[in-house]
Amino acid sequence: MAKDSAPVPNDAPSEGTVLNGAPVGKGRATPSRAEQEAARKRPLVADTKEARARAKADLAAQREKARIGMANGDPRYLPARDQGAQRKFVRDWVDAGWHLGEAVMPAMVLVILATFLPIPALQYYAFVGLWIFIFFVIGDMVLTSITVKRAVKRKFGEGKMEKGLGWYAAMRTVQMRFLRLPKPQVKRGQKPA
C-alpha cells in the first residue's frame, strides 16, 4: 500500500484562509514565526505628531470646559472644598456684602508706592496705617465668620453644620470680588435665601 500524502491535522488552516491579512495555503509559503510576530506588532499608543496634537487639543478643551464650569459654580467641576449646599450658601452670603478684606491688596500697593517717595514721615505713617487697616480686616473676618455660622445654623439646622465654614467665609472676604472662584452668583446687597 502506497502513501499518497501525509494526514492533515484538524487545526490546520484550510485553503483560502487569511491570517493577518495574508492568504495561507497553496500558492504561498508559510510565513515564519518572526514574520508573523512582526506582522502582529504595533504600538500601543500612536506616536505621531497628529495624534499628539489631537490629544493636546482635547486636553486643552477639557481644561477650558472645567475652568468655565468652575467659574460658573457648576458642581461637577468644583473642587471638594467648594462643594455642597452649605458652601454655596456661604459663598453667596459673603458675595452679597462689602468687606474690608477686598481692599487689602490695593492698600498694600499704595504703601509700596509710598515707600518710593523720599519722605520718611509719609513712609512711616503708611506702614502704621496699613497695620491698623489689617487689624480692622482681621476683625471683619472674625465678625463675618461668626455671622455666617449663625446664618448657616438658621438655614440648615444646628447639628448639620459642616466644619470649616467660618474660615471658608473669612478667606473669601480677603479676595477681591473679581478674582474669586467660583465667581460670585449674587449681586451686592442680594442676601441668599
Short mmCIF file of all heavy atoms in Angstrom, two decimals, residues 15 28 31 37 49 94 171:
data_model
loop_
_atom_site.label_atom_id
_atom_site.label_comp_id
_atom_site.label_asym_id
_atom_site.label_seq_id
_atom_site.Cartn_x
_atom_site.Cartn_y
_atom_site.Cartn_z
N GLU A 15 -7.68 25.76 2.73
CA GLU A 15 -7.32 26.54 1.56
C GLU A 15 -8.20 27.79 1.49
O GLU A 15 -9.40 27.73 1.69
CB GLU A 15 -7.54 25.68 0.31
CG GLU A 15 -6.79 26.17 -0.89
CD GLU A 15 -6.93 25.20 -2.04
OE1 GLU A 15 -6.78 23.99 -1.84
OE2 GLU A 15 -7.22 25.68 -3.14
N ARG A 28 1.53 30.03 -1.67
CA ARG A 28 2.36 30.93 -0.87
C ARG A 28 3.03 30.13 0.23
O ARG A 28 2.42 29.25 0.84
CB ARG A 28 1.49 32.02 -0.23
CG ARG A 28 2.31 33.03 0.57
CD ARG A 28 1.38 34.07 1.18
NE ARG A 28 2.15 35.09 1.88
CZ ARG A 28 2.65 34.95 3.11
NH1 ARG A 28 2.48 33.84 3.77
NH2 ARG A 28 3.32 35.93 3.65
N PRO A 31 4.37 31.67 6.40
CA PRO A 31 5.23 32.69 6.99
C PRO A 31 5.96 32.14 8.23
O PRO A 31 5.42 31.33 8.97
CB PRO A 31 4.27 33.81 7.38
CG PRO A 31 2.92 33.24 7.33
CD PRO A 31 2.96 32.02 6.48
N GLU A 37 5.14 37.38 13.98
CA GLU A 37 5.24 38.28 15.13
C GLU A 37 5.41 39.73 14.68
O GLU A 37 4.83 40.64 15.26
CB GLU A 37 6.41 37.87 16.03
CG GLU A 37 6.10 36.59 16.81
CD GLU A 37 7.29 36.14 17.65
OE1 GLU A 37 8.36 36.78 17.59
OE2 GLU A 37 7.12 35.15 18.38
N LYS A 49 2.78 62.86 15.25
CA LYS A 49 2.61 64.27 15.58
C LYS A 49 1.14 64.65 15.59
O LYS A 49 0.69 65.41 16.45
CB LYS A 49 3.36 65.14 14.58
CG LYS A 49 4.85 65.10 14.73
CD LYS A 49 5.52 66.06 13.76
CE LYS A 49 7.03 65.97 13.89
NZ LYS A 49 7.70 66.87 12.95
N VAL A 94 -21.26 85.74 51.53
CA VAL A 94 -20.09 86.62 51.52
C VAL A 94 -20.14 87.55 50.31
O VAL A 94 -19.85 88.75 50.42
CB VAL A 94 -18.78 85.79 51.52
CG1 VAL A 94 -17.57 86.66 51.24
CG2 VAL A 94 -18.63 85.07 52.85
N MET A 171 -11.81 83.61 54.46
CA MET A 171 -10.83 83.63 53.37
C MET A 171 -11.43 84.21 52.09
O MET A 171 -10.74 84.86 51.32
CB MET A 171 -10.30 82.23 53.09
CG MET A 171 -9.38 81.69 54.16
SD MET A 171 -7.86 82.64 54.29
CE MET A 171 -8.18 83.68 55.70
#
